[in-house]
């Protein structure tokens, strides 16, 4: 009996040790880059199953760091007027602020769609609208996979605004299509959910608006647009809750024409700027001026702002100065440099490294580019 008991205890220890080993491996895997995990899927059936599981992808996403995706445009050699696009991925503490060190050890990769608009980005998924194909695409630059969505029913894409975000209640990615202008008519509003791959019409009451002026931004499961209503000559934030599918509106602290798209800064709901080049934040249902620029600091009106997650630095875009990084501590601007003399920075977004879309869609066909 004693011998049997000892054998049983040894077996239980081995099983416990193996279980702990598996947990440790999973913990290590969640901290690895996406490219490494794609290679490790071929180690065994268990690794393949583990890395591709929704639970692991969710754990890996929560451990990943935000990167900065810089989109570049360049004129094709010997082809007048034709453009090619490529992108580079950067750790947020290694921005391209000098020609000498800006793109060292950074490999440019062809952008998946030359004539497209970036709608938004969340958890490593980038939502694109392709003007050539007239289609909406979800794209993961970390693993270079993309998924073309089914067409939104009874919708002409030239007459709608598109928003992309994440519903934290059901753990799903959603896209909303709404009319460019609402006025007195009730337009058709549709929401797409990635898990079901289906568009559904929604009947939520919508605040009256004449136009939506900016791209949407996502904060805590809610999309925000800058809206304008001609009859009252007012601007406000148009909101859409991705969980309840309910629209709303938020009054703004000033009546001057706005120039910058809403964006979250320092854990508050979207900030805005007016023509005085002030950044405003809303906390606890009240607005306050967060940042005031001197007249000689900003030579043109700002049109977008992005806060880096690894620092307090802000990335601004203005039509005259392009993309610049503003350091809040020293109060100075530094310009993002171009990849080379033939290209220019076209767009900048934050993009989390993740395995989203693994096993879905198709592989991107673009090859890595080599510049002399």
């Amino acid at each position: 009996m004693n011998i049997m008991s000892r054998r049983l205890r040894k077996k239980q220890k081995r099983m416990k040790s193996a279980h702990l080993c598996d947990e440790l491996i999973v913990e290590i895997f969640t901290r690895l880059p996406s490219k490494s995990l794609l290679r490790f899927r071929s180690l065994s059936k268990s690794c393949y199953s583990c890395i591709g599981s929704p639970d692991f992808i969710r754990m890996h996403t929560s451990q990943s760091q935000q990167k900065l995706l810089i989109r570049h445009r360049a004129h094709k050699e010997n082809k007048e007027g034709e453009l090619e696009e490529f992108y580079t991925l950067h750790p947020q503490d290694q921005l391209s602020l000098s020609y000498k060190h800006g793109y060292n050890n950074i490999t440019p990769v062809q952008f998946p769609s030359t004539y497209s608009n970036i709608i938004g980005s969340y958890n490593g998924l980038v939502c694109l609208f392709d003007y050539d194909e007239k289609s909406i695409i979800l794209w993961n630059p970390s693993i270079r996979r993309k998924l073309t969505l089914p067409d939104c029913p009874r919708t002409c894409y030239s007459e709608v605004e598109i928003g992309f975000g994440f519903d934290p209640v059901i753990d799903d990615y959603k896209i909303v299509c709404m009319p460019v202008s609402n006025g007195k008519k009730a337009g058709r509003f549709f929401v797409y959910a990635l898990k079901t791959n289906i568009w559904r019409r929604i009947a939520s009451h919508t605040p009256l608006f004449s136009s939506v002026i900016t791209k949407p931004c996502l904060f805590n499961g809610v999309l925000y647009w800058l809206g304008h209503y001609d009859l009252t000559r007012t601007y406000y934030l148009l909101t859409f809750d991705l969980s309840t599918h309910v629209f709303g509106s938020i009054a703004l602290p000033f009546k001057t024409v706005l120039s910058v798209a809403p964006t979250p800064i320092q854990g508050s709901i979207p900030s805005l700027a007016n023509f005085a080049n002030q950044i405003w934040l809303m906390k606890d249902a009240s607005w306050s001026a967060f940042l005031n620029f001197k007249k000689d600091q900003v030579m043109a009106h700002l049109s977008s702002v992005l806060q880096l997650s690894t620092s307090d630095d802000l990335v601004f875009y203005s039509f005259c100065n392009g993309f610049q990084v503003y350091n809040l501590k020293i109060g100075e601007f530094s310009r993002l440099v171009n990849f080379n003399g033939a290209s220019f920075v076209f767009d900048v977004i934050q993009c989390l490294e993740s395995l989203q879309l693994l096993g879905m869609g198709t592989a991107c066909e673009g090859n890595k580019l080599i510049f002399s």
Side-chain angles (χ1 to χ4, degrees):
M1 187 73 177
N2 291 336
I3 296 175
M4 292 295 294
S5 298
R6 286 197 295 270
R7 287 178 177 174
L8 181 60
R9 284 197 294 270
K10 287 182 179 179
K11 185 176 181 180
Q12 289 174 339
K13 286 182 179 179
R14 286 197 299 269
M15 291 175 64
K16 186 176 181 180
S17 176
H19 180 66
L20 290 174
C21 185
D22 289 343
E23 287 184 344
L24 182 60
I25 290 174
V26 170
E27 179 65 25
I28 293 172
F29 275 7
T30 60
R31 300 176 185 273
L32 294 178
S34 300
K35 290 182 180 179
S36 299
L37 291 172
L38 294 180
R39 293 196 302 268
F40 290 160
R41 292 179 81 202
S42 61
L43 290 177
S44 64
K45 289 183 178 180
S46 61
C47 285
Y48 185 92
S49 176
C50 171
I51 293 171
S53 69
D55 287 341
F56 178 83
I57 292 175
R58 193 178 302 110
M59 289 171 59
H60 178 261
T61 301
S62 67
Q63 298 274 11
S64 296
Q65 298 295 318
Q66 287 277 14
K67 290 189 174 182
L68 208 65
L69 185 149
I70 301 180
R71 182 182 183 184
H72 309 260
R73 272 189 173 177
H75 292 281
K76 288 186 178 181
E77 292 185 10
N78 304 321
K79 293 185 178 180
E80 186 176 351
E82 289 193 36
L83 296 172
E84 63 181 352
E85 291 195 3
F86 59 96
Y87 66 95
T88 51
L89 285 171
H90 305 252
Q92 293 197 14
D93 57 352
Q94 298 177 27
L95 297 182
S96 51
L97 300 178
S98 73
Y99 286 102
K100 185 176 181 181
H101 304 292
Y103 295 95
N104 287 351
N105 302 317
I106 300 291
T107 304
V109 183
Q110 282 181 328
F111 204 77
S113 174
T114 301
Y115 298 102
S116 63
N117 183 32
I118 295 179
I119 306 299
S121 171
Y122 190 78
N123 277 354
L125 283 186
V126 181
C127 182
L128 305 172
F129 178 73
D130 189 311
Y131 290 104
D132 283 342
E133 301 296 329
K134 293 182 173 53
S135 61
I136 301 173
I137 297 170
L138 291 178
W139 167 54
N140 184 336
S142 298
I143 61 173
R144 300 181 62 202
R145 294 195 70 82
K146 64 179 181 179
L147 175 70
T148 301
L149 273 56
D151 290 337
C152 184
R154 289 174 287 179
T155 296
C156 175
Y157 284 125
S158 63
E159 299 175 356
V160 300
E161 289 290 338
I162 303 170
F164 167 69
F166 182 75
D167 179 352
V169 175
I170 63 171
D171 190 34
D172 199 6
Y173 299 90
K174 291 183 176 179
I175 294 171
V176 58
C177 279
M178 64 180 188
V180 172
S181 62
N182 194 19
K184 297 181 179 180
K185 297 181 180 179
R188 298 181 183 274
F189 297 82
F190 292 89
V191 171
Y192 167 88
L194 180 60
K195 285 184 177 180
T196 60
N197 195 36
I198 292 174
W199 289 94
R200 296 187 184 278
R201 187 176 180 181
I202 57 174
S204 172
H205 172 72
T206 313
L208 290 176
F209 62 91
S210 301
S211 60
V212 172
I213 301 171
T214 63
K215 287 183 181 181
C217 89
L218 178 70
F219 184 70
N220 287 348
V222 178
L223 289 170
Y224 296 81
W225 290 266
L226 176 61
H228 179 249
Y229 189 43
D230 289 340
L231 291 181
T232 58
R233 297 181 180 179
T234 55
Y235 294 84
Y236 60 91
L237 287 181
L238 175 67
T239 67
F240 180 74
D241 190 306
L242 289 166
S243 298
T244 62
H245 296 174
V246 173
F247 285 93
S249 61
I250 299 175
L252 298 177
F254 40 74
K255 295 182 179 180
T256 54
V257 178
L258 304 170
S259 58
V260 77
T263 183
I265 290 181
Q266 294 197 346
S268 74
I269 71 168
S271 64
L272 291 164
N274 62 9
F275 271 175
N277 288 322
Q278 299 171 310
I279 303 297
W280 289 71
L281 299 182
M282 182 178 180
K283 285 188 177 181
D284 301 323
S286 63
W287 290 93
S288 61
F290 165 68
L291 191 60
N292 291 280
F293 293 110
K294 298 176 183 178
K295 290 183 178 180
D296 59 345
Q297 281 185 299
V298 182
M299 304 304 293
H301 298 306
L302 306 171
S303 64
S304 69
V305 57
L306 178 71
Q307 182 173 25
L308 304 183
S309 60
T310 55
S311 67
D312 289 331
D313 290 351
L314 304 174
V315 178
F316 287 103
Y317 177 77
S318 65
F319 294 108
C320 292
N321 300 321
F323 286 94
Q324 295 178 295
V325 178
Y326 181 76
N327 188 293
L328 289 172
K329 292 182 179 179
I330 63 176
E332 292 183 359
F333 282 94
S334 301
R335 186 165 183 170
L336 284 178
V337 300
N338 297 324
F339 187 84
N340 58 23
S343 67
F344 61 95
V345 175
F346 182 65
D347 208 348
V348 178
I349 62 169
Q350 286 183 320
C351 188
L352 196 72
E353 183 168 348
S354 77
L355 295 170
Q356 304 294 334
L357 290 188
L358 185 62
M360 301 175 65
T362 59
C364 295
E365 299 177 355
N367 296 315
K368 292 181 180 179
L369 304 177
I370 300 176
F371 293 92
S372 57

